[in-house]
Amino acid sequence: MTPSILSLDHYRVMLASASPRRHELLKMLGVDFTVAPSVEVNEVYPRELPAEDVAPYLAALKAEAYRRTMHEDALMITADTVVIAEGKVLGKPADESEAIAMLHALSGRTHKVVTGICVFTPEKMLSDRAETEVTFAPLTEEEIREYVTVCHPLDKAGAYGIQEWIGAIGVQSIHGSFYNVMGLPLHKLYTLLKEF
């Protein structure tokens, strides 16, 4: 049983994400929610935008798309997560070869995971971001290929899930929120939800 001291009964809480990891994480907060129907969002950001601002920008872009049509009693959550390696934004890989290339770029190095979150009603919007540094041990070609072949991480920014096998064998250290690396910084989200 999950404790919940958030008083959100007067809202219809909706999570604008198809990610099963985000669903699982939001349930940990004891929030009763439904998954919002998907809306068309062109997830493009200005090239001059600093890498650390991309995820918050995309989360806000999603929020604006939903805000136009949301019901008065709705409270919605949008989020976006990116991995930043050597100043370059790594989103979700297009295919297995790109996933392999991304993991090679992360192997033996420290990268940053940034998640932007927005919590909003038709009248009010709050947003925040979380940044976590993750250090990977050097990964072998065999380890990378085995992970990509078995786990198919094409739905994950940076081509990995920290909660999966590759995280268990490869992550040497993290500095910041573990849940942020999974895709939803729970402490930050909880703090925003309390304001509603």
Side-chain angles (χ1 to χ4, degrees):
M1 184 132 184
T2 303
S4 179
I5 61 168
L6 288 170
S7 300
L8 299 171
D9 295 342
H10 49 296
Y11 291 115
R12 214 157 37 100
V13 181
M14 304 184 82
L15 176 64
S17 175
S19 164
R21 291 164 302 285
R22 287 196 179 123
H23 301 172
E24 178 188 336
L25 290 171
L26 187 52
K27 284 177 188 170
M28 288 177 69
L29 293 184
V31 175
D32 187 23
F33 69 96
T34 57
V35 176
S38 63
V39 296
E40 195 67 35
V41 181
N42 188 16
E43 294 186 34
V44 176
Y45 54 89
R47 285 193 171 200
E48 67 277 6
L49 197 66
E52 286 78 5
D53 293 338
V54 169
Y57 177 89
L58 293 176
L61 202 65
K62 293 174 187 177
E64 287 305 323
Y66 277 98
R67 207 166 183 198
R68 287 185 229 118
T69 59
M70 68 189 295
H71 293 284
E72 287 181 16
D73 64 341
L75 184 150
M76 296 196 70
I77 301 162
T78 60
D80 195 87
T81 302
V82 298
V83 169
I84 303 169
E86 307 290 317
K88 183 180 175 188
V89 173
L90 305 181
K92 296 172 185 173
D95 52 33
E96 287 194 357
S97 64
E98 190 175 9
I100 289 166
M102 284 183 180
L103 289 169
H104 276 296
L106 301 179
S107 174
R109 296 184 179 94
T110 298
H111 63 275
K112 191 181 288 185
V113 179
V114 181
T115 300
I117 48 174
C118 295
V119 179
F120 56 98
T121 64
E123 295 81 34
K124 178 179 177 180
M125 181 178 304
L126 298 173
S127 61
D128 206 344
R129 71 174 70 199
E131 297 186 9
T132 304
E133 287 189 348
V134 181
T135 301
F136 262 102
L139 300 168
T140 67
E141 181 73 24
E142 183 183 16
E143 287 165 343
I144 289 172
R145 288 188 177 275
E146 179 71 7
Y147 172 68
V148 170
T149 301
V150 173
C151 295
H152 311 290
L154 304 185
D155 64 335
K156 297 173 179 69
Y160 79 94
I162 194 169
Q163 73 281 8
E164 295 179 336
W165 179 81
I166 199 79
I169 65 120
V171 173
Q172 285 184 324
S173 66
I174 70 167
H175 185 260
S177 168
F178 173 83
Y179 297 114
N180 176 45
V181 185
M182 282 184 70
L184 203 58
L186 293 182
H187 171 71
K188 298 266 188 187
L189 177 57
Y190 180 70
T191 302
L192 295 181
L193 288 171
K194 282 202 294 186
E195 294 200 35
F196 285 89

